[in-house]
Amino acid sequence: MNMTGCPTFSSQLVIDLSALRANYRVLRDDVSPAECAAVVKADAYGLGARPVVSALYLEGCRTFFVAQLCEALDLHPTLPVNCTIFILNGLDPGGEAACANAGFVPVLNSRVQIERWRSEARRRGVALPSAIQIETGMSRLGISEPVVEQLAEDPSLPEELALRLVLTHLACADEPRLPVNEDQLRRFSKVADRFPGVPRSIANSCGTFLSGAYHLELVRPGIALYGVPPQSECLGIMPVVSLRSRILQIRQLPGGSAVGYGHTYATPGPRRVATIGVGYADGWPRRLGNVGAAWFRDTRLPIIGRISMDSMAIDISAVEFGELHEGDFVDLIGPMQSLEDVAGDAETIPYEILTQLGPRHARVYLDGNTSAMPTPGDGR
Ligand SMILES: *Cc1c(COP(=O)(O)O)cnc(C)c1O
Protein backbone atom coordinates (compact mmCIF):
# COMPACT_ATOMS: atom_id res chain seq x y z
CA MET A 1 0.00 0.00 0.00
CA ASN A 2 1.08 3.52 -0.63
CA MET A 3 0.62 6.31 1.83
CA THR A 4 -2.21 7.75 -0.22
CA GLY A 5 -2.31 11.47 -0.59
CA CYS A 6 1.04 12.04 1.07
CA PRO A 7 3.00 14.55 -1.02
CA THR A 8 6.45 13.47 0.22
CA PHE A 9 8.37 10.35 1.07
CA SER A 10 11.53 9.50 2.99
CA SER A 11 12.52 6.53 0.88
CA GLN A 12 11.87 5.19 -2.54
CA LEU A 13 11.74 1.61 -3.77
CA VAL A 14 12.28 1.57 -7.52
CA ILE A 15 11.06 -1.52 -9.33
CA ASP A 16 12.33 -1.91 -12.86
CA LEU A 17 9.57 -3.77 -14.67
CA SER A 18 11.56 -3.92 -17.90
CA ALA A 19 14.33 -5.78 -16.05
CA LEU A 20 11.68 -8.08 -14.60
CA ARG A 21 10.35 -8.74 -18.09
CA ALA A 22 13.85 -9.34 -19.42
CA ASN A 23 14.47 -11.85 -16.63
CA TYR A 24 11.25 -13.62 -17.53
CA ARG A 25 12.35 -13.82 -21.18
CA VAL A 26 15.72 -15.32 -20.15
CA LEU A 27 13.99 -18.03 -18.13
CA ARG A 28 11.22 -18.62 -20.66
CA ASP A 29 13.67 -19.06 -23.53
CA ASP A 30 15.93 -21.26 -21.41
CA VAL A 31 13.18 -23.72 -20.46
CA SER A 32 11.22 -23.76 -23.71
CA PRO A 33 9.25 -25.88 -24.67
CA ALA A 34 8.43 -26.22 -20.96
CA GLU A 35 6.12 -23.52 -19.64
CA CYS A 36 7.56 -20.76 -17.49
CA ALA A 37 5.12 -19.78 -14.74
CA ALA A 38 5.79 -17.08 -12.13
CA VAL A 39 5.63 -17.27 -8.35
CA VAL A 40 4.04 -14.04 -7.08
CA LYS A 41 3.31 -15.02 -3.47
CA ALA A 42 3.86 -12.53 -0.64
CA ASP A 43 2.90 -9.64 -2.92
CA ALA A 44 5.46 -10.75 -5.51
CA TYR A 45 8.16 -10.92 -2.84
CA GLY A 46 7.24 -7.41 -1.75
CA LEU A 47 7.47 -5.81 -5.20
CA GLY A 48 3.72 -5.52 -5.75
CA ALA A 49 1.83 -8.49 -7.17
CA ARG A 50 -0.47 -6.51 -9.45
CA PRO A 51 2.14 -4.53 -11.40
CA VAL A 52 4.40 -7.60 -11.50
CA VAL A 53 1.64 -9.82 -12.90
CA SER A 54 0.65 -7.18 -15.49
CA ALA A 55 4.26 -6.87 -16.65
CA LEU A 56 4.76 -10.64 -16.89
CA TYR A 57 1.47 -11.03 -18.74
CA LEU A 58 2.86 -8.81 -21.49
CA GLU A 59 5.69 -11.33 -21.91
CA GLY A 60 3.24 -14.18 -22.28
CA CYS A 61 3.18 -15.50 -18.73
CA ARG A 62 -0.22 -17.06 -18.08
CA THR A 63 0.33 -19.16 -14.96
CA PHE A 64 0.87 -17.64 -11.53
CA PHE A 65 1.47 -19.15 -8.12
CA VAL A 66 0.49 -17.57 -4.82
CA ALA A 67 0.66 -19.12 -1.36
CA GLN A 68 -2.77 -18.27 0.01
CA LEU A 69 -6.36 -17.92 -1.15
CA CYS A 70 -6.43 -14.26 -0.02
CA GLU A 71 -3.56 -13.46 -2.35
CA ALA A 72 -5.38 -15.08 -5.25
CA LEU A 73 -8.59 -13.18 -4.47
CA ASP A 74 -6.59 -9.97 -4.36
CA LEU A 75 -5.19 -10.54 -7.85
CA HIS A 76 -8.38 -11.90 -9.35
CA PRO A 77 -10.20 -8.67 -10.36
CA THR A 78 -7.27 -7.45 -12.48
CA LEU A 79 -6.30 -10.79 -13.95
CA PRO A 80 -7.19 -11.58 -17.58
CA VAL A 81 -9.47 -14.62 -17.87
CA ASN A 82 -6.94 -16.71 -19.79
CA CYS A 83 -4.65 -16.92 -16.74
CA THR A 84 -4.45 -19.59 -14.06
CA ILE A 85 -3.68 -19.02 -10.40
CA PHE A 86 -2.38 -21.90 -8.32
CA ILE A 87 -2.53 -21.69 -4.51
CA LEU A 88 0.60 -23.37 -3.20
CA ASN A 89 -0.41 -23.80 0.44
CA GLY A 90 -3.72 -25.37 -0.52
CA LEU A 91 -6.95 -24.39 1.16
CA ASP A 92 -7.65 -23.63 4.77
CA PRO A 93 -10.94 -25.14 5.96
CA GLY A 94 -13.85 -23.12 4.60
CA GLY A 95 -12.01 -21.73 1.58
CA GLU A 96 -13.37 -24.29 -0.89
CA ALA A 97 -16.44 -22.39 -2.14
CA ALA A 98 -14.60 -19.12 -2.75
CA CYS A 99 -11.79 -20.95 -4.49
CA ALA A 100 -14.15 -22.92 -6.73
CA ASN A 101 -16.23 -19.84 -7.58
CA ALA A 102 -13.15 -17.97 -8.73
CA GLY A 103 -11.71 -20.91 -10.64
CA PHE A 104 -8.40 -20.99 -8.77
CA VAL A 105 -6.42 -24.19 -8.65
CA PRO A 106 -5.56 -25.28 -5.11
CA VAL A 107 -2.40 -27.29 -4.63
CA LEU A 108 -3.74 -30.15 -2.53
CA ASN A 109 -1.15 -31.14 0.03
CA SER A 110 -2.91 -33.65 2.23
CA ARG A 111 -5.57 -36.33 2.17
CA VAL A 112 -7.85 -34.06 4.21
CA GLN A 113 -7.50 -31.22 1.71
CA ILE A 114 -8.27 -33.64 -1.12
CA GLU A 115 -11.39 -34.93 0.61
CA ARG A 116 -12.70 -31.41 1.27
CA TRP A 117 -12.10 -30.42 -2.36
CA ARG A 118 -13.75 -33.60 -3.61
CA SER A 119 -16.87 -32.98 -1.58
CA GLU A 120 -17.04 -29.45 -3.00
CA ALA A 121 -16.87 -31.07 -6.45
CA ARG A 122 -19.63 -33.55 -5.59
CA ARG A 123 -21.80 -30.72 -4.29
CA ARG A 124 -21.37 -28.92 -7.59
CA GLY A 125 -21.56 -32.02 -9.76
CA VAL A 126 -18.41 -31.05 -11.70
CA ALA A 127 -14.75 -31.99 -11.61
CA LEU A 128 -12.81 -29.12 -10.02
CA PRO A 129 -9.40 -27.97 -11.29
CA SER A 130 -6.74 -29.31 -8.95
CA ALA A 131 -3.04 -29.75 -8.44
CA ILE A 132 -1.39 -32.34 -6.25
CA GLN A 133 1.87 -31.81 -4.45
CA ILE A 134 3.91 -34.92 -3.77
CA GLU A 135 6.25 -35.06 -0.81
CA THR A 136 9.61 -36.32 -2.05
CA GLY A 137 12.08 -35.40 0.64
CA MET A 138 11.60 -31.90 2.00
CA SER A 139 9.07 -32.85 4.69
CA ARG A 140 7.21 -29.59 4.26
CA LEU A 141 3.99 -29.82 2.27
CA GLY A 142 2.68 -32.63 0.13
CA ILE A 143 1.15 -36.06 -0.03
CA SER A 144 3.32 -39.08 0.67
CA GLU A 145 4.14 -41.40 -2.20
CA PRO A 146 2.05 -44.39 -1.00
CA VAL A 147 -1.03 -42.20 -0.57
CA VAL A 148 -0.53 -40.76 -4.05
CA GLU A 149 -0.34 -44.33 -5.40
CA GLN A 150 -3.68 -45.10 -3.75
CA LEU A 151 -5.22 -41.96 -5.22
CA ALA A 152 -4.05 -42.91 -8.68
CA GLU A 153 -6.00 -46.20 -8.30
CA ASP A 154 -9.21 -44.46 -7.20
CA PRO A 155 -11.69 -44.79 -10.10
CA SER A 156 -13.91 -41.88 -9.00
CA LEU A 157 -11.01 -39.41 -8.73
CA PRO A 158 -11.20 -38.11 -12.34
CA GLU A 159 -14.92 -37.31 -11.95
CA GLU A 160 -14.13 -35.02 -9.03
CA LEU A 161 -10.64 -33.67 -9.61
CA ALA A 162 -9.57 -32.28 -12.97
CA LEU A 163 -5.82 -32.61 -12.46
CA ARG A 164 -3.95 -29.68 -13.97
CA LEU A 165 -0.52 -30.25 -12.40
CA VAL A 166 1.47 -32.56 -10.19
CA LEU A 167 4.38 -30.96 -8.42
CA THR A 168 7.02 -31.35 -5.79
CA HIS A 169 9.55 -28.96 -4.30
CA LEU A 170 13.33 -29.28 -4.10
CA ALA A 171 14.91 -28.90 -0.68
CA CYS A 172 18.50 -28.21 -1.82
CA ALA A 173 18.32 -26.86 -5.36
CA ASP A 174 20.81 -24.14 -4.40
CA GLU A 175 23.43 -26.85 -3.90
CA PRO A 176 23.69 -28.44 -7.34
CA ARG A 177 26.26 -31.04 -6.28
CA LEU A 178 24.10 -32.68 -3.65
CA PRO A 179 22.68 -36.05 -4.78
CA VAL A 180 19.40 -35.25 -3.03
CA ASN A 181 18.31 -33.21 -6.09
CA GLU A 182 18.50 -36.19 -8.43
CA ASP A 183 16.93 -38.32 -5.74
CA GLN A 184 13.91 -36.06 -5.52
CA LEU A 185 13.63 -35.89 -9.32
CA ARG A 186 13.70 -39.69 -9.56
CA ARG A 187 11.16 -40.21 -6.78
CA PHE A 188 8.88 -37.54 -8.21
CA SER A 189 9.01 -38.81 -11.79
CA LYS A 190 8.16 -42.31 -10.64
CA VAL A 191 4.96 -41.24 -8.83
CA ALA A 192 4.00 -38.57 -11.36
CA ASP A 193 3.99 -41.30 -14.04
CA ARG A 194 0.82 -42.59 -12.42
CA PHE A 195 -0.99 -39.55 -13.87
CA PRO A 196 -0.22 -39.80 -17.57
CA GLY A 197 -0.78 -36.59 -19.51
CA VAL A 198 -0.84 -34.37 -16.43
CA PRO A 199 1.89 -31.65 -16.55
CA ARG A 200 4.67 -32.06 -13.98
CA SER A 201 6.70 -29.41 -12.15
CA ILE A 202 9.65 -29.62 -9.79
CA ALA A 203 11.83 -26.54 -10.36
CA ASN A 204 11.92 -23.23 -8.50
CA SER A 205 14.52 -20.66 -9.67
CA CYS A 206 17.53 -22.71 -8.59
CA GLY A 207 16.01 -25.94 -9.87
CA THR A 208 15.47 -24.32 -13.26
CA PHE A 209 19.22 -23.79 -13.57
CA LEU A 210 20.21 -27.29 -12.36
CA SER A 211 19.76 -28.92 -15.78
CA GLY A 212 17.15 -29.40 -18.47
CA ALA A 213 16.04 -32.62 -16.76
CA TYR A 214 14.37 -30.50 -14.08
CA HIS A 215 12.24 -28.43 -16.46
CA LEU A 216 9.63 -31.15 -17.09
CA GLU A 217 6.44 -29.44 -18.34
CA LEU A 218 6.46 -26.34 -16.14
CA VAL A 219 8.94 -24.37 -14.00
CA ARG A 220 8.01 -22.08 -11.09
CA PRO A 221 10.66 -19.41 -10.60
CA GLY A 222 10.24 -16.56 -8.12
CA ILE A 223 13.45 -14.95 -6.90
CA ALA A 224 15.26 -15.12 -10.26
CA LEU A 225 12.51 -13.04 -11.86
CA TYR A 226 13.05 -10.46 -9.13
CA GLY A 227 16.71 -10.15 -10.01
CA VAL A 228 18.59 -12.65 -7.86
CA PRO A 229 20.32 -15.32 -9.92
CA PRO A 230 20.76 -18.73 -8.23
CA GLN A 231 24.48 -18.63 -8.95
CA SER A 232 26.35 -15.49 -9.79
CA GLU A 233 27.46 -17.10 -13.06
CA CYS A 234 23.86 -17.30 -14.30
CA LEU A 235 24.17 -14.72 -17.01
CA GLY A 236 21.31 -12.58 -18.10
CA ILE A 237 19.47 -12.14 -14.80
CA MET A 238 19.38 -8.41 -14.05
CA PRO A 239 18.68 -6.58 -10.82
CA VAL A 240 15.10 -5.34 -10.55
CA VAL A 241 15.02 -3.47 -7.26
CA SER A 242 16.79 -0.41 -5.95
CA LEU A 243 16.19 1.46 -2.72
CA ARG A 244 17.19 4.98 -1.76
CA SER A 245 16.69 6.96 1.39
CA ARG A 246 16.58 10.66 2.07
CA ILE A 247 18.94 12.43 4.41
CA LEU A 248 16.84 13.87 7.22
CA GLN A 249 19.61 15.77 9.00
CA ILE A 250 23.38 16.32 8.84
CA ARG A 251 25.59 17.22 11.78
CA GLN A 252 29.28 17.77 12.38
CA LEU A 253 30.44 15.83 15.42
CA PRO A 254 33.68 16.17 17.38
CA GLY A 255 35.70 13.07 18.25
CA GLY A 256 34.28 10.96 21.05
CA SER A 257 30.62 11.68 20.26
CA ALA A 258 28.26 8.78 20.91
CA VAL A 259 25.73 7.90 18.23
CA GLY A 260 22.35 6.19 18.52
CA TYR A 261 20.57 3.97 21.02
CA GLY A 262 22.79 2.32 23.58
CA HIS A 263 25.78 4.45 22.56
CA THR A 264 27.27 1.49 20.68
CA TYR A 265 29.38 3.80 18.52
CA ALA A 266 31.61 6.76 19.28
CA THR A 267 33.25 8.90 16.61
CA PRO A 268 37.00 8.18 16.51
CA GLY A 269 37.64 11.79 15.48
CA PRO A 270 35.71 14.68 13.96
CA ARG A 271 33.04 13.24 11.67
CA ARG A 272 30.15 14.39 9.51
CA VAL A 273 27.13 12.24 10.28
CA ALA A 274 23.80 12.02 8.48
CA THR A 275 20.57 10.60 9.82
CA ILE A 276 18.60 8.94 7.03
CA GLY A 277 14.90 8.08 6.89
CA VAL A 278 14.85 4.29 6.83
CA GLY A 279 14.78 2.06 9.90
CA TYR A 280 13.92 -1.44 10.94
CA ALA A 281 10.20 -0.71 10.61
CA ASP A 282 10.93 -0.34 6.90
CA GLY A 283 12.56 -3.74 6.76
CA TRP A 284 16.13 -2.55 7.06
CA PRO A 285 17.59 -5.26 9.30
CA ARG A 286 18.51 -4.13 12.79
CA ARG A 287 21.39 -6.57 12.41
CA LEU A 288 23.04 -3.96 10.14
CA GLY A 289 23.79 -1.56 12.98
CA ASN A 290 27.54 -0.80 12.89
CA VAL A 291 27.81 -3.34 10.03
CA GLY A 292 26.28 -2.27 6.74
CA ALA A 293 26.53 0.84 4.63
CA ALA A 294 24.73 3.29 2.39
CA TRP A 295 26.33 4.65 -0.78
CA PHE A 296 26.57 8.03 -2.46
CA ARG A 297 27.62 7.38 -6.06
CA ASP A 298 30.74 5.20 -5.51
CA THR A 299 31.48 6.33 -1.98
CA ARG A 300 30.73 3.92 0.86
CA LEU A 301 29.02 5.54 3.85
CA PRO A 302 29.20 3.17 6.84
CA ILE A 303 26.18 2.73 9.09
CA ILE A 304 27.18 3.81 12.59
CA GLY A 305 25.33 2.94 15.79
CA ARG A 306 22.15 0.95 16.06
CA ILE A 307 19.35 1.02 13.50
CA SER A 308 16.32 2.87 14.92
CA MET A 309 12.72 2.12 14.01
CA ASP A 310 12.47 4.99 11.51
CA SER A 311 16.04 6.09 10.89
CA MET A 312 19.71 5.23 11.07
CA ALA A 313 22.99 7.13 11.12
CA ILE A 314 25.67 6.99 8.44
CA ASP A 315 29.15 8.49 8.36
CA ILE A 316 29.33 10.80 5.34
CA SER A 317 32.79 12.24 6.08
CA ALA A 318 34.17 10.61 2.90
CA VAL A 319 31.91 12.78 0.75
CA GLU A 320 33.26 16.21 -0.02
CA PHE A 321 31.83 18.92 2.23
CA GLY A 322 28.79 20.56 0.72
CA GLU A 323 28.03 17.74 -1.71
CA LEU A 324 25.25 16.20 0.36
CA HIS A 325 22.37 18.15 1.83
CA GLU A 326 19.28 17.47 3.87
CA GLY A 327 16.65 16.01 1.55
CA ASP A 328 19.22 14.39 -0.78
CA PHE A 329 19.16 10.66 -1.45
CA VAL A 330 21.69 7.97 -0.67
CA ASP A 331 21.52 4.43 -2.08
CA LEU A 332 20.75 1.43 0.10
CA ILE A 333 20.27 -1.05 -2.73
CA GLY A 334 21.74 0.02 -6.05
CA PRO A 335 24.68 -0.24 -8.42
CA MET A 336 27.29 -0.34 -5.65
CA GLN A 337 25.39 -2.53 -3.21
CA SER A 338 23.23 -5.39 -4.42
CA LEU A 339 20.36 -7.05 -2.64
CA GLU A 340 22.70 -10.01 -2.17
CA ASP A 341 25.31 -7.74 -0.54
CA VAL A 342 22.74 -6.43 1.93
CA ALA A 343 21.52 -9.95 2.71
CA GLY A 344 25.11 -11.10 3.19
CA ASP A 345 25.87 -8.25 5.60
CA ALA A 346 22.69 -9.05 7.53
CA GLU A 347 23.48 -12.78 7.52
CA THR A 348 20.21 -13.61 5.84
CA ILE A 349 18.95 -14.32 2.32
CA PRO A 350 17.73 -11.88 -0.35
CA TYR A 351 14.21 -13.34 -0.04
CA GLU A 352 13.94 -12.08 3.52
CA ILE A 353 15.26 -8.60 2.72
CA LEU A 354 12.81 -8.22 -0.19
CA THR A 355 9.73 -9.48 1.60
CA GLN A 356 10.37 -7.26 4.63
CA LEU A 357 10.64 -3.96 2.70
CA GLY A 358 7.81 -2.05 4.29
CA PRO A 359 4.84 -0.04 3.05
CA ARG A 360 6.43 3.35 3.82
CA HIS A 361 8.82 3.11 0.88
CA ALA A 362 7.26 4.99 -2.03
CA ARG A 363 7.04 2.45 -4.85
CA VAL A 364 8.05 3.63 -8.28
CA TYR A 365 7.60 1.33 -11.25
CA LEU A 366 9.83 1.86 -14.27
CA ASP A 367 8.94 0.35 -17.58
CA GLY A 368 11.26 0.77 -20.52
CA ASN A 369 11.17 4.21 -22.08
CA THR A 370 8.03 5.31 -20.30
CA SER A 371 9.00 7.54 -17.42
CA ALA A 372 8.45 6.80 -13.76
CA MET A 373 4.88 5.78 -13.17
CA PRO A 374 3.56 6.41 -9.67
CA THR A 375 1.97 3.54 -7.79
CA PRO A 376 -1.79 3.52 -7.84
CA GLY A 377 -3.19 3.88 -4.34
CA ASP A 378 -3.94 0.20 -4.09
CA GLY A 379 -0.89 -0.97 -6.02
CA ARG A 380 0.62 -2.79 -3.10
C1 LIG B 1 8.36 -20.02 -3.18
C2 LIG B 1 8.22 -21.25 -4.02
C3 LIG B 1 8.75 -21.27 -5.33
C4 LIG B 1 9.64 -20.18 -5.88
O1 LIG B 1 10.91 -20.27 -5.30
P1 LIG B 1 12.15 -19.36 -5.74
O2 LIG B 1 13.29 -19.91 -4.97
O3 LIG B 1 11.82 -17.97 -5.34
O4 LIG B 1 12.30 -19.49 -7.21
C5 LIG B 1 8.46 -22.38 -6.12
N1 LIG B 1 7.73 -23.42 -5.64
C6 LIG B 1 7.23 -23.44 -4.38
C7 LIG B 1 6.46 -24.61 -3.91
C8 LIG B 1 7.49 -22.36 -3.52
O5 LIG B 1 7.03 -22.39 -2.26
Side-chain angles (χ1 to χ4, degrees):
M1 91 209 72
N2 231 24
M3 300 276 159
T4 33
C6 181
T8 61
F9 52 87
S10 295
S11 56
Q12 196 177 45
L13 185 65
V14 180
I15 295 141
D16 184 346
L17 294 176
S18 42
L20 171 83
R21 289 168 60 171
N23 292 342
Y24 181 79
R25 289 195 297 271
V26 167
L27 290 162
R28 180 194 67 194
D29 295 349
D30 184 50
V31 305
S32 169
E35 179 181 357
C36 188
V39 177
V40 296
K41 61 191 180 187
D43 202 24
Y45 294 36
L47 275 56
R50 284 187 183 187
V52 162
V53 165
S54 307
L56 294 175
Y57 184 83
L58 296 176
E59 296 298 336
C61 187
R62 296 291 179 267
T63 303
F64 300 94
F65 287 83
V66 296
Q68 302 181 354
L69 175 61
C70 292
E71 298 177 310
L73 287 169
D74 217 42
L75 275 175
H76 191 48
T78 53
L79 200 73
V81 287
N82 57 349
C83 291
T84 305
I85 303 186
F86 287 89
I87 302 172
L88 286 168
N89 280 6
L91 291 175
D92 297 314
E96 293 79 14
C99 184
N101 290 343
F104 304 143
V105 189
V107 175
L108 304 169
N109 292 311
S110 72
R111 210 198 272 268
V112 176
Q113 283 187 1
I114 288 185
E115 284 320 312
R116 286 205 316 262
W117 195 233
R118 290 177 79 169
S119 31
E120 185 68 30
R122 282 194 295 274
R123 241 191 320 277
R124 291 170 185 249
V126 289
L128 288 173
S130 319
I132 287 182
Q133 178 156 214
I134 303 168
E135 156 61 28
T136 59
M138 187 171 179
S139 309
R140 188 173 74 168
L141 288 171
I143 301 167
S144 69
E145 290 145 300
V147 173
V148 178
E149 297 275 359
Q150 284 170 19
L151 278 174
E153 304 284 310
D154 184 337
S156 59
L157 192 81
E159 294 151 33
E160 293 163 359
L161 304 188
L163 270 189
R164 297 279 195 82
L165 190 69
V166 287
L167 65 148
T168 193
H169 195 51
L170 294 166
C172 307
D174 55 339
E175 298 179 70
R177 276 177 301 274
L178 290 187
V180 62
N181 293 313
E182 276 177 49
D183 246 42
Q184 284 195 271
L185 179 61
R186 195 173 330 106
R187 285 171 65 176
F188 175 61
S189 305
K190 185 157 171 284
V191 189
D193 276 354
R194 303 298 306 270
F195 304 97
V198 177
R200 303 160 299 166
S201 175
I202 188 170
N204 60 352
S205 298
C206 291
T208 301
F209 288 98
L210 281 178
S211 86
Y214 292 81
H215 296 167
L216 302 177
E217 282 73 51
L218 180 142
V219 298
R220 329 181 289 271
I223 197 79
L225 294 171
Y226 308 125
V228 180
Q231 278 96 38
S232 42
E233 66 267 25
C234 292
L235 296 176
I237 297 295
M238 302 197 287
V240 171
V241 168
S242 50
L243 177 66
R244 36 191 222 139
S245 172
R246 256 193 228 283
I247 294 178
L248 306 178
Q249 189 173 10
I250 296 176
R251 72 183 73 249
Q252 181 73 44
L253 291 176
S257 307
V259 175
Y261 280 123
H263 281 184
T264 61
Y265 180 88
T267 51
R271 287 290 186 278
R272 239 172 322 118
V273 170
T275 304
I276 64 175
V278 165
Y280 62 77
D282 303 296
W284 198 253
R286 191 168 174 279
R287 179 76 188 71
L288 291 178
N290 288 316
V291 173
W295 289 77
F296 178 64
R297 300 190 186 128
D298 55 0
T299 305
R300 187 173 187 275
L301 311 173
I303 294 170
I304 55 177
R306 288 193 183 144
I307 310 287
S308 292
M309 187 186 292
D310 320 294
S311 66
M312 61 181 136
I314 56 176
D315 183 337
I316 62 166
S317 311
V319 176
E320 203 149 315
F321 184 81
E323 270 230 71
L324 274 176
H325 306 91
E326 288 184 13
D328 286 350
F329 284 102
V330 293
D331 294 325
L332 289 172
I333 298 170
M336 301 302 294
Q337 178 163 274
S338 67
L339 188 55
E340 294 95 308
D341 294 333
V342 175
D345 285 347
E347 295 177 24
T348 182
I349 52 175
Y351 300 75
E352 194 178 31
I353 302 291
L354 272 187
T355 55
Q356 294 306 303
L357 293 174
R360 293 194 297 196
H361 303 298
R363 260 87 177 154
V364 176
Y365 292 92
L366 304 180
D367 202 350
N369 35 27
T370 60
S371 57
M373 171 176 82
T375 327
D378 63 352
R380 201 202 103 85

